Amino acid sequence: MPVVEKIGRRNSIPILYTRGTHYEVGFDVGRTFSSLIHSFLAASPNLNKVLLPLYETDAGKKVYEETLTSVHKSFPQYVREMEGTADGAQVPFHKLFLLHIYEMLPNVLGQESANSHGTGCSTVCCNHPGEEILGHTEDALAEVLNHFYFVSAHIISDLPQGRWKVTEERFTSLCYAGHLPGYTMSYNHHGFVYSVNVISAKILASGKTPRSFLTRALLAAENFAHAQEILRDSGCGAGDAVSINMTFLNQEGDRLFHNAEVGPPVGAANESSLSIFTTSPGEHIFHCNKYLRLQIPEAGGEIMTSSDHRHAAMKCFPHPASRKDVINILGDQSNKEYPIFQESGDDDYVKTVAVGIFDCVRQTWSIYADNPKTNEPVVVLPLQLKSPSK
């Protein structure tokens, strides 16, 4: 398979339904999507030109081993899941783990990371009666285009797993090839719906929890308090930075949307920096790839510039009050250099690879493989929730 396929944007997103242990689910993912995983690993300049050369150094091996040891202590089940994916796809485990520390490794070693060139996503939460929408553009390095899939998994364990003692997980997640579920947009059977925006903090930490493992752990969150505990990660803390946009479909009372900004521990702290913002009915959230509340130094670069331009573009729209309003914002390309929907041609460094619209009233998840302003969704998935009686 060629390193870079010039096949254009495909209106195709495969899905895998799987049940088993963490290792078995990971193995099924690797075996089913082996060709996509191999293709992505071959096509990734960041992996092959940055991460693997750093991994071959003594300093890079130290960061890798410290961080792997940390996540193995807190989340051994997700390490087994990744081992299953590596075995199923017949690829080296260390290549997959490097994808999950793609910003931490170069940052800790004083090197430039991929995020400095501008990656990231945009999320809009619209909270109006009858129009309770979480919309998200999945923006990624251009090689991610056509290298993603859905995983719909039911994981049952005989013994409690990891620091949160989880025995059952049931979720559907849009996944980059070779990556753990939970890192883009997802929901679980407890009614937890969320999307992820990466943030580039200036100083990252080795031996802490990568954000991709925190977002994987969120797939087991049963309520808002549990989600906050996962993100706070007391006793360790996040190794890098992230923003989570979320709601619980089964919550009592009015619909509430929350935005969590998460950062590495400050000073001698052993838990993540965390700030929560909540919207009530009649309000909205717009979040990109920069801190709006946490006072943590950021790396700067294109990711900040792009976020500033996307926030400025959003302010030109009326406050979103409907699904159509959210789609109009997420499909906006009025700023040609820094559009919200990022697509200008084959030479793009970053592309919007998919757009998701969670409708919390109708309990559906619509996925678009192209601009939602001018295209129909590829699929509309029902949000299947656990019965309260069980």
Side-chain angles (χ1 to χ4, degrees):
M1 182 173 289
V3 171
V4 178
E5 295 178 295
K6 296 294 185 181
I7 59 175
R9 180 183 292 270
R10 313 310 302 163
N11 281 290
S12 171
I13 308 176
I15 186 167
L16 170 68
Y17 296 94
T18 176
R19 180 190 299 120
T21 65
H22 286 92
Y23 179 87
E24 289 168 342
V25 164
F27 185 90
D28 288 342
V29 170
R31 179 175 176 272
T32 302
F33 299 119
S34 175
S35 62
L36 284 177
I37 293 170
H38 278 269
S39 176
F40 178 72
L41 295 181
S44 172
N46 192 46
L47 174 66
N48 294 298
K49 296 181 180 180
V50 178
L51 298 176
L52 284 171
L54 289 176
Y55 172 76
E56 294 299 332
T57 67
D58 291 341
K61 281 271 186 23
K62 182 173 183 290
V63 173
Y64 176 98
E65 294 296 343
E66 287 177 347
T67 307
L68 179 58
T69 297
S70 176
V71 296
H72 202 282
K73 179 180 178 181
S74 296
F75 304 109
Q77 72 274 34
Y78 302 142
V79 176
R80 289 197 297 274
E81 190 174 307
M82 193 182 298
E83 289 171 344
T85 300
D87 290 347
Q90 298 184 4
V91 298
F93 171 85
H94 74 275
K95 289 189 177 183
L96 299 190
F97 191 74
L98 286 170
L99 297 177
H100 295 74
I101 57 171
Y102 76 93
E103 189 174 15
M104 290 172 62
L105 178 59
N107 179 280
V108 172
L109 298 181
Q111 305 292 318
E112 190 177 64
S113 76
N115 277 4
S116 63
H117 297 288
T119 59
C121 312
S122 304
T123 299
V124 180
C125 298
C126 164
N127 196 358
H128 281 260
E131 297 282 352
E132 300 166 0
I133 305 293
L134 190 157
H136 179 77
T137 66
E138 190 54 46
D139 303 340
L141 298 175
E143 59 266 23
V144 173
L145 186 69
N146 306 321
H147 289 98
F148 54 91
Y149 42 76
F150 284 109
V151 172
S152 186
H154 187 192
I155 301 173
I156 301 176
S157 305
D158 293 335
L159 299 173
Q161 300 290 305
R163 66 173 305 182
W164 304 114
K165 310 301 181 186
V166 177
T167 57
E168 182 183 22
E169 296 184 73
R170 196 164 196 164
F171 59 80
T172 300
S173 180
L174 186 71
C175 307
Y176 297 168
H179 291 66
L180 288 172
Y183 193 53
T184 64
M185 41 186 153
S186 313
Y187 84 94
N188 71 15
H189 69 160
H190 299 294
F192 183 42
V193 170
Y194 68 99
S195 68
V196 176
N197 309 119
V198 300
I199 295 176
S200 286
K202 187 174 183 178
I203 300 174
L204 307 184
S206 175
K208 298 293 185 180
T209 307
R211 60 191 170 214
S212 51
F213 278 79
L214 295 179
T215 56
R216 174 62 186 86
L218 284 176
L219 288 171
E222 297 182 11
N223 51 55
F224 183 50
H226 188 198
Q228 291 181 83
E229 280 188 309
I230 291 168
L231 295 174
R232 190 170 286 112
D233 197 37
S234 295
C236 186
D240 41 13
V242 71
S243 165
I244 308 295
N245 311 278
M246 53 187 159
T247 190
F248 273 89
L249 300 180
N250 289 338
Q251 68 193 29
E252 297 181 358
D254 292 335
R255 166 71 50 214
L256 299 175
F257 287 96
H258 313 277
N259 171 263
E261 293 182 347
V262 183
V266 175
N270 64 348
E271 64 179 28
S272 307
S273 302
L274 181 65
S275 173
I276 303 289
F277 175 75
T278 299
T279 62
S280 299
E283 300 176 334
H284 69 278
I285 292 173
F286 185 73
H287 209 287
C288 294
N289 309 100
K290 60 177 290 186
Y291 287 129
L292 301 181
R293 301 178 306 279
L294 273 182
Q295 299 300 306
I296 292 180
E298 296 178 67
E302 286 289 286
I303 191 169
M304 291 283 287
T305 303
S306 174
S307 292
D308 287 338
H309 280 278
R310 283 177 279 147
H311 276 281
M314 193 274 176
K315 291 178 180 178
C316 296
F317 287 87
H319 291 173
S322 67
R323 175 192 178 106
K324 182 179 179 181
D325 291 345
V326 172
I327 285 175
N328 285 338
I329 293 170
L330 297 181
D332 181 62
Q333 295 181 300
S334 58
N335 185 318
K336 299 303 181 184
E337 187 173 4
Y338 298 105
I340 294 176
F341 186 90
Q342 303 191 57
E343 171 62 69
S344 60
D346 288 343
D347 295 330
D348 289 342
Y349 186 81
V350 175
K351 285 184 181 292
T352 299
V353 300
V355 175
I357 301 290
F358 289 98
D359 188 322
C360 300
V361 175
R362 295 164 185 82
Q363 297 194 355
T364 59
W365 180 11
S366 302
I367 293 286
Y368 299 78
D370 208 330
N371 194 317
K373 288 177 63 176
T374 53
N375 293 272
E376 293 297 315
V378 172
V379 65
V380 180
L381 298 174
L383 303 182
Q384 298 178 321
L385 309 185
K386 186 176 183 179
S387 171
S389 62
K390 293 183 180 179

